[in-house]
Amino acid sequence: MITIRKTSEESITALTSREVESQDVTEVVAEILADVKQNGDEAIRAYTKKFDGAKLAELHVSEAEISSAIQETTPEFLAVLEQAKQNIQQFHEKQVQRGFITTDEQGTVMGQRVIPLEKVGVYVPGGTAAYPSTVLMDVLPAKIAGVSKIVMITPPNAEGKIPTAILAAAKIAGVDEIYKVGGAQGVAALAYGTESLPKVDKIVGPGNIFVATAKRMVYGLVDIDMIAGPSDVLIVADESANPRWLAADLLAQAEHDALAQAILVTTNEELAQAVQVELQAQLDALPRKEIAQHSIDNNGKLIVAKDIEEALAIANQVAPEHLELCVAEPFSLLGKVKHAGSVFLGHYTPEVLGDYFAGPNHTLPTEGTARFSSPLSVDDFIKKSSYLYYSKEALHTVANQVIDFAEMEGLSGHARSMRVRKEEL
Amino acid sequence: MITIRKTSEESITALTSREVESQDVTEVVAEILADVKQNGDEAIRAYTKKFDGAKLAELHVSEAEISSAIQETTPEFLAVLEQAKQNIQQFHEKQVQRGFITTDEQGTVMGQRVIPLEKVGVYVPGGTAAYPSTVLMDVLPAKIAGVSKIVMITPPNAEGKIPTAILAAAKIAGVDEIYKVGGAQGVAALAYGTESLPKVDKIVGPGNIFVATAKRMVYGLVDIDMIAGPSDVLIVADESANPRWLAADLLAQAEHDALAQAILVTTNEELAQAVQVELQAQLDALPRKEIAQHSIDNNGKLIVAKDIEEALAIANQVAPEHLELCVAEPFSLLGKVKHAGSVFLGHYTPEVLGDYFAGPNHTLPTEGTARFSSPLSVDDFIKKSSYLYYSKEALHTVANQVIDFAEMEGLSGHARSMRVRKEEL
């Protein structure tokens, strides 16, 4: 049974430490990247055979495969996907940035344009579970941004097939091209381009340690969204919270991954005890019990804080991916939250609502990176470009100041670029 | 003398290839990072002695040092710094993003907050030239974003001193703390924290290959702005352009760095010939001739395109850091520019205007990364955090759809988090 720990007995740092993955796969990934860069499709096919067990003649998913996937999906689930799409679109449309312009009477014009990225690659993990929600969450903001070409990659199963739900979600989201390739080799294909796959400008989407390492290594040649780590939730709860609901929310997080982290911070010790009992009871009923048990045993925490201020201090220290405020007056605490990917307010907003359906993105900063990172958004699929125009008169006005600055920095060639114009004015 | 090349004789890819730095300093940098992580200030002092020749008792720059730097700076130059500050502030204030909220009648509230980063580290390069402009360009957007603590680091000279212009600019920009440390050890100090230096959330600013490699290696633990490479300019010019001015602008870029790249693309072969002659004449007059000559010889290009459309296609292929449109009607081409850090419009807007003074940021995406990266901006110093609230009624309305989605993704614990609430509704 998971221990209840108190801030009166331990430091916040000790309370919030977590098990981390330390596997270094850099060498393996570097080799795969180099191989794909040099050998293209041939290398992709070899790795797909080796890692996924699939012998593929064609990497590109055909229109026929997509159509039959749609036909194999139930109308009910297609309707859920369509509703989720609508909700996600509505939320993300609010994120659209506009350019700006400034002008003055001397004849200067300056500003910033907002330009969509041209080509984006979306990685969708394979493996035991299929996550169509990831397809919607990663593709729809790119569509709203105006990306011209969205290329999705995902590993096939041993029969060379992609789950129908993934293909259906890709079709609904508006993916332009889909390829059967995963792992570091998939990231390499998108970063360098191959005979079949186009080189893209940015790669987004979650993946295992091989995918994450490959993304880190190609960062700079292409952009990436973030290095995703295991998922986490922190729940701040007061005496108004329902322990059964809290335990269910903690376990929903824990079932993702043995390295996932689920933390409860409460001001009420009795609530912590009730959650402790519920956790054990509900764990036994979970199909993914083994994973959830490992996560709870290693990274699960029940913490009793002395007051709500301290509970929020712990939350800000952890900078959780998901923060639930299961308290009577959740909006009163929102302004105290400094670092969290997404905040779920009140008793009727379990984190699960954000995973599929509500509208905000579920791709969120993990492992404390909410200190400096943001949820995936339309902003991830645009770039900005500034522009300047000076009239002859405006240039004349500032010429001496710019020349002084350039000379002070020791760059006479810079000063000269102003002087040659000034001479002829 | 630099060759004139024509699109009729070579492919755009061949025309735009460039010399790149391939030095791998990963091992050296990894060792420095590990040493600073473990030994803190002691390691910093040892590296500062080794690399900068300075034996420092105190890493922190005192108020007295800053005051005397201000006194040693001429009033004229302080006035130029103040004017530059005002221009940069006015431009960057337009970049401030606001949060948003969406509500509906069922009782859902969702939105996105914009939160400043707490602590930011700014790297200012040392070496032969002092760049106070970098201080203004990197610090002012952070101030506007609302960053609580801005920590500047820069390597000292052998006497343990920082150039007065750098300290004056730091004071004017509003830096909170300054430390005498550079190189990979400086990046490590900001990423891990030491006895003297605070750990920050993000590290920005240009630096040499050691600094860039260190930034790449700590990325994820902290955020970084970008991996800066050598600077570049591409000028698109028509027959209305002045060859003397174009040559001066190309050389202003070339004097930065032997690896810098300066390209002219023109529709007019006579103009190219005139620039070719001017380049040689002006090179001889440059104090930094040796650097500029190397850059021009290796990466300088004079390209004759068949028409303005093709000239823009070359510009978009290169995705230059700086793009000058030295043509009669520059605004008519702006919409054709897909990839450029900053665009300088017309004959009286040399790139140099953007380096110090006009307002837009001079920290721009290099080496073609303008395909997916943006100028440094206020956006680099904020993060976004989403929030969701569902009322009991709103939860009830969507419960079944969310449960279906969760079960379809094979996550029963997720479905359960909804069910336990639905049961009790």
Side-chain angles (χ1 to χ4, degrees), chain A residues 77 80-81 83-84 91 94-95 97 100 102 109-113 115 117-118 129-133 165 201 216-217 219-224 242 244-245 248-249 252 255-256 282 286-288 331 334-335 337-345 347-350 352-358 360 369-375 377 379 383-392 395 398 401-402 405-406 408-414 416-418 420-421 423-425, chain B residues 77 80-81 83-84 91 94-95 97 100 102 109-113 115 117-118 129-133 165 201 216-217 219-224 242 244-245 248-249 252 255-256 282 286-288 331 334-335 337-345 347-350 352-358 360 369-375 377 379 383-392 395 398 401-402 405-406 408-414 416-418 420-421 423-425:
Chain A
F77 189 63
V80 172
L81 284 175
Q83 183 62 49
F91 187 87
K94 301 266 177 192
Q95 293 170 336
Q97 284 193 57
F100 64 82
T102 69
V109 179
M110 291 186 286
Q112 185 172 284
R113 291 186 305 148
I115 306 173
L117 300 188
E118 247 177 45
Y131 295 128
S133 55
D201 298 316
R216 175 189 292 278
M217 291 175 79
Y219 168 60
L221 177 64
V222 298
D223 196 15
I224 61 172
N242 181 324
R244 183 165 149 79
W245 299 2
D249 294 359
E255 76 171 343
H256 267 297
Q282 293 187 35
L286 272 191
R288 292 167 70 97
F331 279 93
L334 187 56
V337 177
K338 303 294 180 208
H339 313 296
S342 193
V343 185
F344 299 81
L345 297 148
H347 302 306
Y348 298 97
T349 318
V352 169
L353 272 178
D355 283 344
Y356 310 108
F357 205 77
T369 58
R371 288 193 67 84
F372 50 77
S373 294
S374 305
S377 75
D379 288 351
K383 65 199 179 197
K384 288 154 282 181
S385 177
S386 57
Y387 60 90
L388 294 79
Y389 166 85
Y390 268 59
S391 67
K392 192 190 287 194
L395 182 78
V398 301
Q401 287 173 298
V402 176
F405 211 133
M408 213 283 317
E409 291 199 347
L411 296 173
S412 293
H414 282 56
R416 188 177 176 81
S417 161
M418 294 299 289
V420 292
R421 284 170 172 84
E423 284 166 12
E424 304 202 12
L425 282 174
Chain B
F77 189 64
V80 173
L81 283 175
Q83 184 62 49
F91 186 86
K94 302 265 177 193
Q95 293 171 335
Q97 283 193 56
F100 64 81
T102 68
V109 180
M110 290 185 287
Q112 183 173 285
R113 292 187 304 148
I115 305 173
L117 299 189
E118 248 177 46
Y131 295 128
S133 55
D201 299 316
R216 177 189 290 276
M217 291 175 79
Y219 169 60
L221 177 64
V222 299
D223 197 14
I224 62 173
N242 181 324
R244 184 165 148 78
W245 300 1
D249 295 358
E255 75 171 343
H256 267 297
Q282 294 187 34
L286 270 193
R288 292 166 71 94
F331 280 93
L334 187 55
V337 177
K338 304 296 180 206
H339 313 296
S342 194
V343 184
F344 299 80
L345 295 149
H347 301 306
Y348 297 97
T349 317
V352 169
L353 273 178
D355 283 344
Y356 310 110
F357 204 76
T369 58
R371 286 192 69 83
F372 49 78
S373 295
S374 305
S377 76
D379 288 351
K383 65 199 178 198
K384 289 152 281 180
S385 175
S386 56
Y387 60 90
L388 296 79
Y389 166 85
Y390 267 59
S391 67
K392 194 190 287 195
L395 182 77
V398 302
Q401 287 173 299
V402 176
F405 211 133
M408 210 285 315
E409 291 199 348
L411 296 174
S412 293
H414 282 56
R416 189 179 175 81
S417 161
M418 294 299 288
V420 292
R421 284 171 171 84
E423 284 165 13
E424 303 198 16
L425 282 173

Side-chain angles (χ1 to χ4, degrees), chain A residues 76-292:
Chain A
E76 293 73 26
F77 189 63
L78 287 177
V80 172
L81 284 175
E82 286 286 357
Q83 183 62 49
K85 174 187 177 181
Q86 193 181 317
N87 294 352
I88 295 164
Q89 272 180 334
Q90 273 176 10
F91 187 87
H92 287 77
E93 275 161 8
K94 301 266 177 192
Q95 293 170 336
V96 173
Q97 284 193 57
R98 285 183 303 185
F100 64 82
I101 186 167
T102 69
T103 55
D104 75 10
E105 294 191 1
Q106 286 224 305
T108 72
V109 179
M110 291 186 286
Q112 185 172 284
R113 291 186 305 148
V114 173
I115 306 173
L117 300 188
E118 247 177 45
K119 285 178 271 184
V120 165
V122 175
Y123 189 94
V124 176
T128 51
Y131 295 128
S133 55
T134 299
V135 177
L136 298 183
M137 293 290 182
D138 287 2
V139 172
L140 293 172
K143 292 297 279 188
I144 292 170
V147 171
S148 317
K149 186 183 274 195
I150 302 173
V151 180
M152 189 177 108
I153 63 168
T154 190
N157 66 14
E159 286 76 49
K161 292 204 183 308
I162 310 288
T164 54
I166 296 291
L167 293 180
K171 177 74 177 175
I172 285 172
V175 168
D176 296 295
E177 297 173 8
I178 310 173
Y179 296 91
K180 296 172 184 172
V181 51
Q185 63 276 17
V187 173
L190 293 173
Y192 306 121
T194 71
E195 299 90 325
S196 296
L197 280 87
K199 173 176 172 26
V200 301
D201 298 316
K202 182 164 185 166
I203 301 172
V204 305
N208 62 20
I209 184 76
F210 292 91
V211 172
T213 302
K215 280 171 69 180
R216 175 189 292 278
M217 291 175 79
V218 298
Y219 168 60
L221 177 64
V222 298
D223 196 15
I224 61 172
D225 53 344
M226 60 180 79
I227 310 282
S231 192
D232 64 88
V233 71
L234 186 146
I235 305 178
V236 170
D238 65 12
E239 64 291 343
S240 71
N242 181 324
R244 183 165 149 79
W245 299 2
L246 299 182
D249 294 359
L250 293 168
L251 290 173
Q253 196 59 41
E255 76 171 343
H256 267 297
D257 184 343
L259 290 166
Q261 183 176 60
I263 301 178
L264 172 73
V265 185
T266 178
T267 48
N268 188 301
E269 190 168 350
E270 279 164 40
L271 184 75
Q273 286 160 353
V275 171
Q276 190 182 35
V277 173
E278 275 290 338
L279 272 179
Q280 207 50 56
Q282 293 187 35
L283 248 177
D284 288 332
L286 272 191
R288 292 167 70 97
K289 179 184 172 179
E290 208 176 319
I291 293 168

Side-chain angles (χ1 to χ4, degrees), chain B residues 314-334:
Chain B
I314 292 171
N316 284 326
Q317 167 86 15
V318 171
E321 182 188 8
H322 309 97
L323 173 64
E324 288 189 9
L325 299 178
C326 297
V327 296
E329 304 261 16
F331 280 93
S332 73
L333 299 184
L334 187 55

Side-chain angles (χ1 to χ4, degrees), chain B residues 21-33:
Chain B
E21 198 159 33
S22 63
Q23 203 185 352
D24 185 358
V25 299
T26 310
E27 267 183 53
V28 181
V29 171
E31 200 176 297
I32 295 173
L33 294 180

Side-chain angles (χ1 to χ4, degrees), chain B residues 146-409:
Chain B
V147 172
S148 315
K149 185 183 276 194
I150 300 173
V151 180
M152 189 177 105
I153 64 169
T154 190
N157 66 13
E159 287 76 49
K161 293 206 185 307
I162 309 288
T164 54
I166 296 291
L167 293 180
K171 177 76 178 174
I172 284 171
V175 169
D176 296 295
E177 297 172 9
I178 309 172
Y179 296 91
K180 296 171 184 171
V181 51
Q185 63 275 16
V187 173
L190 293 173
Y192 305 122
T194 71
E195 299 90 323
S196 296
L197 279 88
K199 173 177 172 24
V200 301
D201 299 316
K202 181 163 186 167
I203 301 172
V204 304
N208 61 20
I209 183 77
F210 294 91
V211 172
T213 303
K215 281 171 70 180
R216 177 189 290 276
M217 291 175 79
V218 300
Y219 169 60
L221 177 64
V222 299
D223 197 14
I224 62 173
D225 52 345
M226 59 180 79
I227 311 281
S231 193
D232 63 86
V233 72
L234 186 145
I235 305 179
V236 170
D238 65 12
E239 64 290 342
S240 71
N242 181 324
R244 184 165 148 78
W245 300 1
L246 298 182
D249 295 358
L250 293 169
L251 290 173
Q253 196 59 41
E255 75 171 343
H256 267 297
D257 185 342
L259 291 167
Q261 182 177 59
I263 302 178
L264 173 72
V265 185
T266 178
T267 46
N268 188 303
E269 189 167 351
E270 280 164 39
L271 183 75
Q273 285 160 353
V275 171
Q276 188 182 35
V277 174
E278 275 291 338
L279 270 179
Q280 207 50 54
Q282 294 187 34
L283 247 178
D284 289 332
L286 270 193
R288 292 166 71 94
K289 178 185 171 178
E290 208 175 319
I291 293 169
Q293 180 88 57
H294 185 111
S295 160
I296 292 288
D297 288 349
N298 287 274
N299 287 317
K301 296 181 207 307
L302 302 177
I303 300 174
V304 179
K306 68 178 195 303
D307 55 28
I308 204 74
E309 298 292 330
E310 190 181 65
L312 266 294
I314 292 171
N316 284 326
Q317 167 86 15
V318 171
E321 182 188 8
H322 309 97
L323 173 64
E324 288 189 9
L325 299 178
C326 297
V327 296
E329 304 261 16
F331 280 93
S332 73
L333 299 184
L334 187 55
K336 295 189 203 288
V337 177
K338 304 296 180 206
H339 313 296
S342 194
V343 184
F344 299 80
L345 295 149
H347 301 306
Y348 297 97
T349 317
E351 181 277 320
V352 169
L353 273 178
D355 283 344
Y356 310 110
F357 204 76
N361 211 286
H362 80 192
T363 304
L364 298 168
T366 55
E367 295 185 305
T369 58
R371 286 192 69 83
F372 49 78
S373 295
S374 305
L376 193 74
S377 76
V378 174
D379 288 351
D380 282 291
F381 300 103
I382 55 115
K383 65 199 178 198
K384 289 152 281 180
S385 175
S386 56
Y387 60 90
L388 296 79
Y389 166 85
Y390 267 59
S391 67
K392 194 190 287 195
E393 185 198 348
L395 182 77
H396 191 73
T397 311
V398 302
N400 286 336
Q401 287 173 299
V402 176
I403 289 168
D404 285 355
F405 211 133
E407 292 289 6
M408 210 285 315
E409 291 199 348

